[in-house]
Amino acid sequence: MSGEATVEIDNLSVFYDGGARGRIHALDRVSISAGEGDFVCLVGRSGCGKSTLLKTLGGFVPIEAGSSVTVSGTPVRGPGRDRGMVFQEYALFPWRTALRNVTFGLEQANVEKGEAEERAREYLSLVRLDGFEEAYPHELSGGMKQRVAIARALVYDPQILLMDEPFAAVDAFTRQQLQALLIDVWQTVKPTIFYVTHDIMEAIYLAERIVVMSPQPGKIHQVVPVGFDRPRDPLDSKVTSLAQDVRDLVFHDLESGSRQEKTRP
Ligand code: ADP
Ligand code: MG
């Protein structure tokens, strides 16, 4: 962390209109800040507002009076190129090549074609997809598609990268490779990352800080710093012991009997 906060969330409450379910209190007075190049993982059980927090940062959820969300000092009022997003679903255009998927937003922003291509190639190379520029999404594995999505999010050189369970849909080995790649990418371009995951081990592998959230209404339960050297070894006893602690925090409000059934969040 250095300099002024890149992300500053102050007293954020979010309510949804849940139709027959009435007004849904999705986030309750959440405050958190993150510095340049920070890596924040959000963990917690389903429904505790992780995606809502990310969508709010993305500019997709209106911010009510009394709450404030700023990125580099500027209030968030809608989506913007200073915030790149990667979701679990690949959301690539199937009729565009990997290269054209990455250049898409640059074309929209009227970046000159040659320059757009050059930048897209650079970011595809960063995610180790050299040689796959002309491949279509259906020719790529799930992990490769997520790498294209990461390149596409980073090609604008955003201040922050918002990732909502981006590797949840790929197999365990691919997920590990993607995690290692993400750390390399993060250490190279150093965006501030907000990353949602159900997977406590993934959070410990990736994060500088883990924000444990609790549900009904969604709020921050505790923030846990992760000070271990990188690369981190999931079998290291310090890591497994922290995983136990984080798991206890995730389930702190449940009876120990129901915890046994719900060891996986
Ligand atoms: P998480 O990502 O941690 O599972 P969410 O942010 O998706 O949690 O949801 C938080 C709460 O808000 C849940 O109760 C969910 O049902 C509700 N919710 C999320 N999105 C909407 C929406 N668009 N309309 C109504 N309720 C929503
Ligand atoms: Mg979610």
Side-chain angles (χ1 to χ4, degrees):
M1 249 171 121
S2 66
E4 70 177 73
T6 304
V7 175
E8 191 84 63
I9 297 174
D10 189 29
N11 202 38
L12 175 67
S13 292
V14 172
F15 296 88
Y16 290 112
D17 175 4
R21 289 162 67 206
R23 209 160 113 101
I24 292 167
H25 195 174
L27 285 179
D28 185 43
R29 291 168 291 166
V30 167
S31 296
I32 184 170
S33 60
E36 208 178 312
D38 206 349
F39 199 135
V40 178
C41 277
L42 307 174
V43 304
R45 306 203 301 275
S46 192
C48 66
K50 305 181 296 294
S51 295
T52 298
L53 185 52
L54 230 64
K55 283 183 205 158
T56 309
L57 276 169
F60 298 102
V61 174
I63 293 158
E64 301 199 0
S67 301
S68 146
V69 179
T70 60
V71 172
S72 303
T74 307
V76 168
R77 295 220 169 80
R81 292 186 213 290
D82 56 334
R83 285 151 288 144
M85 307 198 76
V86 180
F87 299 111
Q88 183 178 330
E89 321 77 52
Y90 309 117
L92 300 178
F93 298 117
W95 59 87
R96 285 183 159 241
T97 62
L99 185 76
R100 295 272 157 243
N101 265 283
V102 180
T103 57
F104 177 77
L106 296 172
E107 290 164 22
Q108 300 295 301
N110 294 319
V111 174
E112 185 265 321
K113 196 173 176 206
E115 192 198 326
E117 275 192 30
E118 195 180 316
R119 273 166 63 181
R121 283 180 199 285
E122 190 187 314
Y123 280 92
L124 283 170
S125 174
L126 184 71
V127 296
R128 299 191 204 121
L129 282 174
D130 314 76
F132 290 92
E133 293 84 355
E134 300 310 320
Y136 286 87
H138 73 90
E139 299 172 300
L140 301 172
S141 68
M144 291 162 103
K145 283 188 250 203
Q146 275 316 52
R147 279 145 65 191
V148 176
I150 292 170
R152 185 178 57 181
L154 287 174
V155 77
Y156 304 109
D157 197 19
Q159 293 275 317
I160 61 176
L161 187 58
L162 304 169
M163 308 183 82
D164 197 347
E165 305 197 33
F167 306 149
V170 300
D171 68 82
F173 292 116
T174 304
R175 190 176 314 134
Q176 282 175 19
Q177 290 173 332
L178 287 168
Q179 289 162 356
L181 176 92
L182 179 62
I183 291 300
D184 283 353
V185 167
W186 171 66
Q187 288 177 330
T188 307
V189 293
K190 275 283 177 177
T192 302
I193 300 183
F194 274 71
Y195 188 108
V196 169
T197 180
H198 274 97
D199 181 342
I200 290 167
M201 292 308 292
E202 175 170 73
I204 295 177
Y205 181 78
L206 295 172
E208 300 282 285
R209 287 185 297 149
I210 297 175
V211 174
V212 179
M213 298 182 66
S214 57
Q216 287 178 332
K219 53 175 155 332
I220 294 181
H221 177 57
Q222 199 157 317
V223 180
V224 181
V226 188
F228 307 139
D229 293 342
R230 298 175 188 274
R232 295 172 179 164
D233 176 1
L235 299 178
D236 186 317
S237 62
K238 291 200 298 287
V239 168
T240 51
S241 152
L242 183 65
Q244 192 72 50
D245 294 346
V246 172
R247 198 173 65 174
D248 287 346
L249 291 171
V250 166
F251 295 108
H252 73 281
D253 54 341
L254 296 182
E255 303 284 322
S256 55
S258 44
R259 279 185 206 192
Q260 293 304 325
E261 293 155 31
K262 294 194 173 181
T263 44
R264 293 191 68 82

